[in-house]
Amino acid sequence: MSSSAIDITLLGRTYSVACPSGQETALRAVAHKLEQQLTSLRSRSNNLSREDLAMMAALNFGHELYEEQRKNQDYMRQMDDRIRLLQRTLEQALVERSRKDD
């Protein structure tokens, strides 16, 4: 897969970032969300360095990702439970039907 460099501006600094073809929109959306997070953190804590702001933003994004992964795992467990229940119900129905046919 080919890639190209796109420019992303964060806190007034422009960074040239390699991006796989077709993923430019996604990268720009993430960069926009990151810029919002950095701006929000900066407004609440004027004395933090760029590195500290980046670390805080990374921790915030990491926490969001963790929570989404946890929700996804919970959902998958629920779906697995429902599928098992459906399988048992179908098996019972087939057994009952075969008994009626005998």
Side-chain angles (χ1 to χ4, degrees), residues 3-102:
S3 66
S4 60
I6 63 171
D7 290 337
I8 300 295
T9 302
L10 300 169
L11 295 177
R13 261 192 206 166
T14 301
Y15 302 90
S16 185
V17 180
C19 180
S21 294
Q23 296 297 311
E24 296 87 359
T25 301
L27 180 57
R28 283 191 173 95
V30 169
H32 177 71
K33 187 172 179 180
L34 177 57
E35 174 69 13
Q36 289 176 324
Q37 181 77 248
L38 291 168
T39 301
S40 174
L41 289 168
R42 179 180 259 178
S43 71
R44 289 183 274 157
S45 305
N46 284 333
N47 58 345
L48 292 179
S49 69
R50 283 180 183 274
E51 292 79 16
D52 290 338
L53 289 171
M55 186 62 65
M56 295 301 295
L59 288 170
N60 287 340
F61 280 127
H63 177 70
E64 288 177 21
L65 177 61
Y66 173 81
E67 288 298 316
E68 289 302 315
Q69 288 173 336
R70 192 182 57 74
K71 287 178 194 176
N72 190 38
Q73 289 171 349
D74 290 345
Y75 177 77
M76 293 298 289
R77 275 193 290 279
Q78 290 175 359
M79 290 301 105
D80 287 344
D81 290 345
R82 289 180 181 180
I83 289 169
R84 280 192 291 279
L85 177 61
L86 181 58
Q87 286 173 330
R88 283 194 305 270
T89 303
L90 288 172
E91 289 169 0
Q92 289 173 348
L94 289 171
V95 167
E96 289 175 17
R97 182 175 179 194
S98 70
R99 287 182 186 154
K100 288 180 183 178
D101 290 343
D102 290 340

